[in-house]
Amino acid sequence: MIYLVDDDEIQNLINTRVVGLVSQSVAVRTFSGGEAALKALDTETSFPQLIFLDINMPKMNGWGFLDEFTKRDYPISIYMLSSSINSKDIEKSQTYKAVNGFISKPLVAEKLAEILKQEKII
């Protein structure tokens, strides 16, 4: 399972379709904010294999999510998926142990397939 955490519902819809193009066997859950995704992680009995996380979201942004996520030490890989091209955002993402990469939007099938293979999901 993959979690898509982005306040832009259209991005979540597009990214869900991209996942379906790459692998129909991978389930997707979407969240419009970090708080909802953390609540799901705290209450679900099984974890996603991968999280794609946006940076700029209201209430709890991607950095706030990562700070809380780090406290919990879940065994899940995270990829930042952002429209930001700021090198400081990329550098900051590399300070988090759980973050395995930084991808500029849009998520494309070729890059997703590469990540899913690297993470041994497909």
Side-chain angles (χ1 to χ4, degrees):
M1 175 177 292
I2 294 174
Y3 279 11
L4 300 173
V5 184
D6 193 322
D7 63 311
D8 184 339
E9 293 298 327
I10 293 172
Q11 280 295 317
N12 281 333
L13 177 63
I14 291 168
N15 293 336
T16 298
R17 289 186 177 166
V18 171
V19 172
L21 289 173
V22 173
S23 174
Q24 293 183 353
S25 65
V26 177
V28 175
R29 275 190 76 186
T30 62
F31 299 91
S32 59
E35 292 172 331
L38 280 172
K39 184 176 180 182
L41 289 171
D42 289 341
T43 59
E44 296 295 321
T45 56
S46 62
F47 294 124
Q49 297 162 286
L50 186 62
I51 297 173
F52 286 102
L53 178 65
D54 187 27
I55 294 173
N56 298 311
M57 297 181 285
K59 295 184 184 177
M60 178 184 281
N61 65 18
W63 306 126
F65 176 89
L66 285 169
D67 291 340
E68 290 299 316
F69 182 89
T70 300
K71 292 176 188 175
R72 290 162 169 84
D73 198 35
Y74 291 123
I76 305 166
S77 294
I78 297 176
Y79 285 79
M80 305 304 292
L81 181 59
S82 179
S83 56
S84 172
I85 55 171
N86 186 333
S87 62
K88 290 182 180 182
D89 285 337
I90 296 168
E91 290 170 15
K92 184 173 182 176
S93 74
Q94 294 169 348
T95 67
Y96 291 91
K97 183 177 86 170
V99 176
N100 286 350
F102 192 102
I103 305 162
S104 293
K105 290 179 184 178
L107 181 62
V108 294
E110 295 80 16
K111 183 65 177 174
L112 177 62
E114 177 185 315
I115 290 168
L116 294 180
K117 288 175 185 171
Q118 179 179 322
E119 296 290 333
K120 297 178 175 59
I121 295 172
I122 60 170

